[in-house]
Amino acid sequence: MPCEVAARFLILYGSQHGQAQSIAEEICQQAAEHGFTADISCLSNQHKYNVDHEIRPVVFVVSTTGDGDPPDTAQKFVRKIKNKSLAHDHFSHLRYALLALGDTNYANFCNGGKTIDSRLQQLGAKHFYATGHADDGTGLEVVVDPWIEGLWDALKKMFSNCTQDNYHKNASGQEKNKSDLEVDLHLLKLSEVDSQKGKTITSDSSDVETLFTALVASLKQSVPPLSESVLNVPALPASYLEVHLEQGSTERVSISKAVQCTQDDAVKTAILLELDISEQNIAYQPGDAFDILCPNRASEVEELLLRLDLQTQKNCAVQVNLLKNSTAKVPLHIPQNGSLQFILTWCLEIRSAPKKAFVRALADFTQNGSEKRRLLELCSKEGSADYNSFVRDANVCLLDLLRAFPSCLPPLSLLFEHLPKLQPRAYSAASSSLQHPGKVNFVFNVVEFPARPEHPARTGLCTGWLADHVSSILPRPSSTFHLPADLSIPVVMVGPGTGVAPFIGFLEQREKEREANQEATFGETWLFFGCRHKDKDFLFREELERFAHNGTLSHLIVCFSRDEPDAAGTVNSPTYVQHNLRLHAKNVASILLKDKGCLYVCGDGKNMAKDVNDTLLEIIGNKLQIDILDAMKIVAGLREEKRYLQDIWS
């Protein structure tokens, strides 16, 4: 493989909702700090790169969408490399690393990245760094952060080998495989002289005494042995932005109806919103989702401005420039000349849990010694357990840290460098445009985070705000989660709780189709619904009973998991949707295996979707008298044929 003299590499990303792009841009920005020059491109922009002849190392960052598919922006690239006419050594010149993003709550974990990775290997490409598989179900940063840290050493070894002997041909004339390179974190020891301050950083005796008085660790303080440890902390991220404030939008839709679907004493509050989209000329099908962009809470933005002593400058225009000699890029989600209040409200995710690099940078702007020590503990290798417990798992945000550490006063540029882009949230349409022309319905549970020592009680950013307002929406058409075009194909729908939302759209659509095609043959429709209490949170009860009464819905199968025993002393059984699936196993198996029907599952991906999948394996195994491995192959075939479809979330 030829070698460029400059330490230059290429970053290619495939992103569906912006996470892979954000991580790729972060790698690009960090590259200069480590002595590299990085070029970056989306995989969809094939005119900007050519891996067929790429001599630079390539770093891929690829997400997964749908039923384990590569993101839309990577589809064309995947089709290209899957071309069966390509020679087995087509990519023998290519040296690459790949970071795959996925969610273990979904089937086919990281399959988008794995698809590209395995195909590149088949065509002769070689790893120069081990592939990373990041799980959004547990927190992407758990894998992403150390993977990026280790990438720099891997690249340095790559270029070092290239400079010395053109990658050291081995005895057989083949290039050495560097896939076993280890991930080594670049660390600084606090016991060493701090290069920024010119003095040793250690815990003084008064700090230790204070920590000993409280034997329970918290966000604000640690306990031994961490409080007495010498810390390994990440290197201070280099600043690359300067921000100037000078004296000097978003399309909205209106709410036409808002209804609380649950009783006041229900465990969760579900709200149905009907939005008027007639002026936006938005077309959608049942099963499609919409990206809804909600702003940060006005009260939180105001508190942040006050905390940073910028309240009087909130209407100033923001000018963002790169520091001199910086090779990074100004984040694309920060507009030039937007007001400070607008950027903090609409552009930056101020509710996101600060990554360790951000915590490390905040420590440098903290005056109190014990507060600075605690922030350094939280971002250190030794403090990983505390970081997970008191920051990531506790859903702590920047404001929570600023409340907990009052002597921390970061500059505005630091927030712009570290806060991620405010991302839209996706919600499935709970309506059919045939039934509601010019309107779209959504149903959602208001997410509530109870008060805890790290932060006050609060509602989820988007669901809490949706309960009062609605901002811009963008349709996110589903390529697969639609009713079959053939009206005679039977369908089984599994949607407990708010997971029933897209199926209301399905049934409204089918109702209109039945009215317009009275001579047509329609396949059976089964809906398995569940909730806690029949009288408190049975969503769309009247609509579902109407669909069942007029024949639109052939079978409505419901269960209530928390209802008390009835007057006869018997408990309503079964408890969950998977139990009802098991009771109707014969019908479900016949629909899927004999009638070539479709199974749709919508709702919680952490538990329900997994339980339904396990039940499906059991049903198919029993029906065909096969073992679990053979049943898994049948289920995989259903997914491949797009007859087993999921719209799930964690």
Side-chain angles (χ1 to χ4, degrees), residues 171-224:
S172 63
Q174 300 298 313
E175 295 170 347
K176 290 186 177 178
N177 187 343
K178 297 297 181 182
S179 63
D180 59 347
L181 293 175
E182 296 179 354
V183 179
D184 296 318
L185 297 179
H186 176 50
L187 303 171
L188 293 176
K189 287 182 179 281
L190 283 183
S191 58
E192 299 171 355
V193 175
D194 184 283
S195 60
Q196 304 295 322
K197 305 297 183 183
K199 61 183 181 181
T200 301
I201 302 177
T202 57
S203 290
D204 59 38
S205 58
S206 62
D207 289 339
V208 174
E209 182 179 352
T210 300
L211 292 172
F212 265 100
T213 61
L215 298 179
V216 179
S218 68
L219 176 63
K220 296 182 180 182
Q221 65 182 25
S222 61
V223 296

Side-chain angles (χ1 to χ4, degrees), residues 244-305:
H244 301 285
L245 299 178
E246 302 176 0
Q247 293 293 341
S249 181
T250 302
E251 184 178 18
R252 297 178 63 88
V253 296
S254 60
I255 300 174
S256 54
K257 183 172 68 174
V259 178
Q260 181 171 317
C261 303
T262 50
Q263 297 298 313
D264 291 339
D265 56 351
V267 175
K268 294 182 179 180
T269 300
I271 293 178
L272 169 73
L273 286 184
E274 179 183 80
L275 308 185
D276 186 342
I277 58 173
S278 55
E279 295 184 4
Q280 282 70 39
N281 194 29
I282 296 174
Y284 72 95
Q285 296 183 56
D288 286 346
F290 283 76
D291 282 336
I292 300 183
L293 180 62
C294 293
N296 291 307
R297 292 296 182 87
S299 60
E300 294 175 11
V301 172
E302 287 296 318
E303 183 181 353
L304 185 58
L305 287 166

Side-chain angles (χ1 to χ4, degrees), residues 139-153:
L140 291 174
E141 70 279 357
V142 174
V143 170
V144 170
D145 290 351
W147 192 89
I148 293 176
E149 289 290 343
L151 174 66
W152 309 121
D153 280 345

Side-chain angles (χ1 to χ4, degrees), residues 12-21 23 43 60-66 68-74 78 98-103 108-116 134 140:
L12 297 175
Y13 64 85
S15 189
Q16 188 72 18
H17 306 307
Q19 286 184 311
Q21 178 180 352
I23 293 169
L43 281 167
F60 292 90
V61 183
V62 184
S63 64
T64 298
T65 190
D69 301 319
D72 293 342
T73 55
V78 171
L98 189 143
L99 176 61
L101 311 183
D103 190 330
N108 302 312
F109 172 62
C110 282
N111 197 59
K114 289 177 180 177
T115 297
I116 293 176
L140 291 174

Side-chain angles (χ1 to χ4, degrees), residues 229-245:
S229 299
V230 174
L231 303 176
N232 292 313
V233 301
L236 181 67
S239 296
Y240 63 92
L241 292 179
E242 58 178 3
V243 177
H244 301 285
L245 299 178

Side-chain angles (χ1 to χ4, degrees), residues 518-539:
Q518 295 186 14
E519 302 302 319
T521 300
F522 287 84
E524 283 192 330
T525 51
W526 290 68
L527 174 63
F528 292 85
F529 173 79
C531 61
R532 289 179 175 82
H533 301 283
K534 181 178 182 179
D535 296 327
K536 294 181 181 180
D537 48 13
F538 189 163
L539 304 182

